[in-house]
């Protein structure tokens, strides 16, 4: 394969607007790096696209030379699906323009943009759309899998706010997909991941989001897990619509708002974010405080863009990671028993179990309106993530993630998960379980747009 690529790489360079890199180029090692340091792959060619025409050229070149394709947006996929040994990496990171039309409340976002660029451009006009909680994540991979974050309780997933996409399909054609054009393809890209082509531009609806939001974090000792999770259940049942909560089993970060004696202390945190009045947020924080006095807490107004960047450093590039997800209807006593037994068994201080709340705006969308890999019933998306500063710790914590997940299956919604949390690339049964009854429709659409399954480095849907 590499030889084939070498012979043709000059041809590709001549027609390409962006740089085309091979292993001998000085920028090659930087360009092939991924967020997860545990993944080290060496593509034969890295095609750094500048336009939809470049993407099309790269797809056709890979097909002509029999090269396996990987598509790179923000490079955050935990399984490293965005790179490939000896194949062709379609690198979209130079296609990161964001244009906001404040009157129409729409944003056009390049297929390789990071969340930080979208958040900043929209907030210039007091606008935002739901996205993830770490701003160096790619809009591309995040959105195509669904996209959940602080605004999801209010406005749904990222895909629920998608108006249209421009997408290069397996035949090299650039197509528009929206409700009024290629609606089947539009349905499939809203949750079906990178299976259907390379999205060169996303068009999002934006909402008014005040530049300042209310932030609160309360932290408890590890042995208080049962009480914290029971309290989260109670607080959640009456949480105002303008607020959102993340529950985290986590080590206290060495951040300025954490007293020095608690840095790295393992425990449980409730993070409460408010998009309404400060009083409403303060009332919920007071209720939490009086129900179960925390070890320490922190409360402050902050700009929305600062909220979006708050977890950036703790989730920086260079960690060795492994991820698995599940859905919970509720923190039942059985689920709490499993979680509190498993959390203390991790070794790396960076490894976490996180729970994102899904209801309200999320649940207002019908189950079959998009291809999203999960039910729209109110509940929690759980993530068990090994995050290790050195590779030696990953072996242990990867096994921890797997046995924690196995123990959660009987007390959760089962084997299905948010596909963006799948770290293992060859898990057909897991992908089927995640899409459930939507899988067959996705497979039929895959047959139309990618019958040879050239876009298979993802939570792969096989052509029917
Ligand atoms: P990449 O690795 O570049 O891409 C992943 C896959 O997406 C590629 O293999 C490809 O198949 C596809 N892809 C990417 N861009 C395109 C495109 N333009 N066209 C076609 N296919 C494309 N998810 C959430 O929902 N909410 C969160 O808060 C959240 N936080 C995260 C924090 C961290 C630190 C990490 C590592 C992940 C987080 N995720 C979150 C999961 C994240 O959504 C997935 O890892 C997602 O795949 C990342 O997208 P990317 O573009 O950065 O990744």
């Amino acid at each position: 394969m590499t030889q084939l690529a070498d012979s043709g790489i000059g041809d590709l360079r001549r027609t390409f607007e962006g740089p085309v890199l091979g292993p001998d180029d000085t920028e090659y090692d930087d360009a092939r790096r991924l967020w997860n340091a545990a993944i080290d792959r060496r593509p034969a060619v890295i095609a750094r696209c500048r336009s939809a025409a470049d993407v099309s050229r790269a797809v056709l070149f890979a097909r002509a030379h029999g090269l396996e394709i990987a598509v790179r947006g923000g490079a955050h996929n935990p399984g490293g699906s965005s790179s490939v040994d000896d194949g062709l990496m379609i690198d979209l990171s130079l296609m990161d323009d964001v244009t906001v039309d404040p009157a129409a409340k729409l944003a056009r976002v390049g297929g390789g943009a990071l969340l930080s660029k979208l958040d900043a451009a929209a907030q210039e006009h007091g606008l935002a759309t739901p996205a993830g909680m770490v701003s160096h994540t790619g809009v591309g991979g995040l959105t195509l899998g669904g996209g959940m974050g602080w605004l999801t309780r209010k406005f749904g997933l990222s895909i629920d706010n998608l108006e249209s996409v421009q997408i290069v399909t397996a035949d090299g054609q650039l197509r528009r997909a929206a409700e009024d054009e290629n609606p089947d393809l539009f349905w499939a890209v809203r949750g079906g991941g990178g299976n259907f082509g390379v999205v060169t531009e996303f068009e999002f609806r934006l909402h008014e989001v005040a530049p300042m939001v209310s932030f609160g974090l309360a932290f408890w000792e590890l042995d208080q897990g049962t009480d914290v999770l029971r309290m989260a259940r109670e607080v959640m049942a009456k949480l105002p619509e303008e607020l959102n909560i993340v529950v985290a089993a986590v080590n206290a970060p060495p951040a300025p708002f954490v007293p020095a004696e608690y840095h790295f202390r393992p425990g449980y945190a409730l993070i409460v974010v408010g998009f309404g009045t400060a009083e409403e947020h303060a009332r919920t924080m007071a209720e939490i405080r009086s129900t179960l006095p925390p070890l320490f807490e922190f409360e402050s107004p902050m700009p929305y863009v600062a909220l979006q960047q708050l977890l950036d450093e703790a989730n920086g590039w260079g960690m060795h990671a492994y991820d698995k997800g599940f859905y919970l209807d509720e923190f039942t006593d059985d689920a709490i028993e499993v979680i509190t037994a498993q959390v203390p068994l991790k070794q790396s201080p960076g490894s976490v179990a996180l729970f994102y709340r899904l209801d309200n705006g999320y649940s207002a969308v019908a189950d079959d309106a998009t291809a999203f890999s999960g039910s729209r019933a109110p509940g929690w998306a759980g993530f068990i993530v090994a995050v290790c500063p050195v590779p030696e710790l990953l072996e242990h914590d990867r096994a921890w993630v797997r046995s924690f997940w196995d123990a959660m299956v009987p007390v959760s919604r089962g084997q299905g998960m948010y596909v963006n949390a799948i770290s293992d690339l060859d898990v057909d049964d897991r992908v089927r379980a995640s899409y459930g009854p939507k899988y067959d429709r996705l497979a039929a659409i895959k047959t139309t747009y990618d019958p040879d399954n050239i876009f298979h480095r993802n939570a792969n849907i096989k052509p029917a």
Side-chain angles (χ1 to χ4, degrees):
M1 267 190 190
T2 311
Q3 268 179 348
L4 263 178
D6 284 347
S7 65
I9 201 167
D11 293 344
L12 188 63
R13 278 198 176 116
R14 270 187 289 283
T15 55
F16 225 69
E17 293 164 51
V20 177
L21 306 177
D24 296 335
D25 290 299
T26 45
E27 304 96 326
Y28 174 81
D29 276 326
D30 252 1
R32 73 183 180 86
R33 266 185 80 213
L34 304 178
W35 173 84
N36 185 356
I39 314 266
D40 182 23
R41 299 206 170 103
R42 301 185 65 82
V45 187
I46 301 177
R48 309 200 71 191
C49 304
R50 282 205 195 279
S51 64
D54 268 357
V55 173
S56 175
R57 286 178 195 113
V59 167
L60 296 176
F61 178 85
R63 297 201 75 149
H65 291 267
L67 292 169
E68 193 177 355
I69 291 175
V71 180
R72 181 203 190 279
H76 274 47
N77 175 271
S81 60
S82 40
S83 188
V84 55
D85 280 325
D86 301 326
L88 185 144
M89 180 200 267
I90 297 182
D91 176 358
L92 302 170
S93 55
L94 301 179
M95 293 176 61
D96 69 342
D97 283 350
V98 178
T99 320
V100 173
D101 178 342
K105 292 190 181 154
L106 290 173
R108 291 186 173 278
V109 183
L114 303 184
L115 304 189
S116 52
K117 201 155 176 188
L118 169 58
D119 291 337
Q123 273 291 280
E124 262 184 46
H125 306 280
L127 300 170
T129 205
M133 297 185 188
V134 172
S135 82
H136 46 70
T137 310
V139 171
L142 178 124
T143 301
L144 292 168
M148 51 184 77
W150 289 116
L151 286 171
T152 293
R153 267 201 101 209
K154 231 167 124 71
F155 301 123
L157 297 167
S158 304
I159 47 170
D160 301 333
N161 294 279
L162 205 53
E163 280 286 304
S164 69
V165 295
Q166 298 284 339
I167 181 168
V168 173
T169 46
D171 55 3
Q173 291 293 310
L174 178 65
R175 294 181 154 87
R176 178 175 174 273
E179 292 290 4
D180 60 357
E181 196 174 353
N182 298 310
D184 54 346
L185 182 58
F186 188 53
W187 178 83
V189 296
R190 285 177 293 161
N195 274 287
F196 302 92
V198 184
V199 174
T200 57
E201 188 178 273
F202 296 88
E203 185 187 21
F204 288 104
R205 278 189 303 282
L206 303 172
H207 307 270
E208 283 171 27
V209 172
M212 295 304 281
V213 301
S214 305
F215 178 85
L217 178 150
F219 189 93
W220 295 264
E221 298 275 19
L222 194 58
D223 62 7
Q224 290 178 285
T226 302
D227 291 338
V228 176
L229 297 177
R230 283 187 177 153
M231 181 182 57
R233 184 170 72 195
E234 303 308 316
V235 169
M236 201 55 245
K238 49 191 178 202
L239 196 73
E241 288 188 8
E242 297 290 327
L243 267 55
N244 199 353
I245 282 193
V246 163
V247 180
V250 64
N251 288 49
F257 58 84
V258 178
E261 66 267 35
Y262 301 134
H263 285 182
F264 300 112
R265 182 95 142 224
Y268 288 82
L270 287 193
I271 308 173
V272 184
V273 166
F275 295 97
T277 64
E279 293 72 32
E280 186 179 54
H281 181 263
R283 262 198 307 279
T284 298
M285 289 305 291
E287 187 191 333
I288 289 171
R289 190 180 307 122
S290 64
T291 310
L292 192 65
L295 194 58
F296 67 87
E297 65 177 304
F298 171 72
E299 233 178 301
S300 173
M302 65 173 65
Y304 175 73
V305 284
L307 169 73
Q308 288 293 91
Q309 292 166 9
L310 199 71
L311 304 174
D312 282 8
E313 213 177 298
N315 293 282
W317 280 59
M319 290 289 160
H320 300 255
Y322 181 79
D323 193 356
K324 253 169 138 67
F326 54 84
Y327 292 111
L328 271 184
D329 283 331
E330 186 51 280
F331 285 116
T332 59
D333 287 348
D334 286 348
I336 291 174
E337 205 179 313
V338 172
I339 295 164
T340 52
Q342 291 290 329
V343 164
L345 305 180
K346 69 172 186 157
Q347 272 185 1
S348 169
S351 297
V352 290
L354 299 172
F355 302 87
Y356 287 28
R357 183 64 196 174
L358 302 174
D359 63 8
N360 285 358
Y362 169 87
S363 298
V365 177
D367 260 333
D368 58 1
T370 70
F372 181 65
S373 56
S375 151
R376 295 295 182 138
W380 299 88
F383 303 93
I384 316 164
V385 197
V387 182
C388 307
V390 289
E392 294 73 34
L393 279 178
L394 182 60
E395 199 176 325
H396 178 278
D397 275 12
R398 189 194 283 119
W400 169 74
V401 171
R402 287 177 174 154
S403 55
F404 191 158
W405 187 83
D406 287 345
M408 285 308 299
V409 169
V411 295
S412 66
R413 285 186 192 155
Q415 304 241 342
M417 65 176 90
Y418 176 33
V419 289
N420 276 357
I422 297 182
S423 282
D424 304 298
L425 290 183
D426 299 317
V427 284
D428 286 352
D429 54 338
R430 203 71 37 77
V431 176
R432 276 177 188 274
S434 300
Y435 286 113
K438 295 175 190 171
Y439 189 91
D440 289 344
R441 182 171 172 196
L442 283 164
I445 298 169
K446 177 85 171 169
T447 311
T448 305
Y449 291 100
D450 183 16
D452 302 322
N453 202 10
I454 66 163
F455 300 114
H456 57 250
R457 296 191 64 77
N458 41 43
N460 193 225
I461 294 154
K462 305 273 186 289

